[in-house]
């Protein structure tokens, strides 16, 4: 009978010690692996921009330009320059020009050329798997790097994504 009591007492003490070891310590960090999924992607819509040669006039006294013109370099000389309304002065096809994209399109580089580009609603233009594309994650997910790959990632409510003890995890 004494042996049973001793085993029971040792078992009880072992359970108490295990419970103490597993109890959360004040200031302890809670972590979990994030939920991930591959993003939805599509090729962007593109079109060549509208362009026109800028209006120019000679630079005035004290390097001043007429109203609406700005001082810049154009075709190797300093001039006062102006683009039509809605156009902007930029480089296109290796020359400076006045340029405009259709409404909703942005001017950027795509497949090694400058173009006007647009993604479907809710998508954004970014790099994914070493190529430029339009990308979208499910609601509540954010696009980021996780375990050396680009994914859509989400942590449980109250958690944030970060690095803890050298691992990428959701941290509370």
């Amino acid at each position: 009978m004494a042996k049973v009591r001793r085993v029971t007492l040792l078992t009880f003490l072992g359970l108490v010690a295990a419970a103490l070891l597993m109890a959360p310590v004040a200031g302890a960090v809670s972590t979990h692996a994030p939920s991930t999924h591959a993003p939805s992607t599509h090729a962007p819509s593109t079109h060549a921009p509208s362009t026109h040669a800028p209006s120019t006039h000679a630079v005035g006294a004290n390097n001043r330009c007429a109203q609406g013109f700005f001082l810049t370099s154009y075709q190797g000389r300093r001039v006062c320059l102006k683009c039509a309304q809605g156009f902007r002065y930029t480089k296109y096809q290796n020359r400076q020009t006045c340029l405009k994209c259709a409404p909703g399109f942005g001017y950027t580089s795509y497949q090694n050329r400058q173009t006007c580009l647009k993604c479907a609603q809710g998508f954004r233009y970014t790099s994914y798997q070493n190529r430029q594309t339009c990308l979208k994650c499910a609601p509540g997910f954010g696009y980021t790097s996780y375990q050396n790959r680009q994914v859509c990632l989400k942590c449980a409510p109250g958690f944030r994504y970060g690095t803890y003890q050298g691992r990428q995890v959701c941290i509370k």
Side-chain angles (χ1 to χ4, degrees):
M1 187 70 149
K3 189 173 185 177
V4 171
R5 284 188 189 148
R6 189 174 345 148
V7 170
T8 305
L9 179 62
L10 289 175
T11 303
F12 173 75
L13 291 174
L15 290 173
V16 169
L20 288 173
L21 288 173
M22 293 169 53
V25 179
V29 175
S30 179
T31 66
H32 72 82
S35 301
T36 63
H37 72 81
S40 301
T41 63
H42 73 80
S45 301
T46 63
H47 73 80
S50 302
T51 62
H52 73 79
S55 303
T56 62
H57 72 73
V59 178
N62 298 325
N63 283 330
R64 295 200 173 246
C65 294
Q67 187 173 350
F69 285 75
F70 62 94
L71 184 63
T72 190
S73 177
Y74 178 68
Q75 296 180 343
R77 57 191 175 98
R78 293 191 47 83
V79 298
C80 294
L81 183 138
K82 179 179 179 179
C83 291
Q85 187 172 350
F87 284 74
R88 66 181 181 139
Y89 185 65
T90 191
K91 189 172 188 174
Y92 177 65
Q93 295 181 340
N94 296 320
R95 64 185 173 90
Q96 292 296 117
T97 189
C98 293
L99 178 140
K100 179 179 176 180
C101 291
F105 283 74
Y107 184 65
T108 191
S109 177
Y110 177 65
Q111 297 180 341
N112 297 318
R113 63 186 171 90
Q114 294 300 110
T115 189
C116 294
L117 181 139
K118 179 180 178 180
C119 292
Q121 187 173 352
F123 285 74
R124 66 182 175 115
Y125 184 64
T126 191
S127 179
Y128 177 65
Q129 296 180 341
N130 297 317
R131 64 186 172 89
Q132 293 299 110
T133 189
C134 294
L135 179 140
K136 180 179 177 179
C137 292
F141 284 73
Y143 183 63
T144 191
S145 177
Y146 177 66
Q147 297 180 343
N148 297 319
R149 59 192 174 97
Q150 295 300 112
V151 297
C152 295
L153 181 141
K154 179 179 173 179
C155 291
F159 285 75
R160 65 174 174 77
Y161 180 64
T163 302
Y164 181 70
Q165 295 181 344
R167 297 179 311 139
Q168 294 172 303
V169 293
C170 294
I171 306 167
K172 189 170 192 174

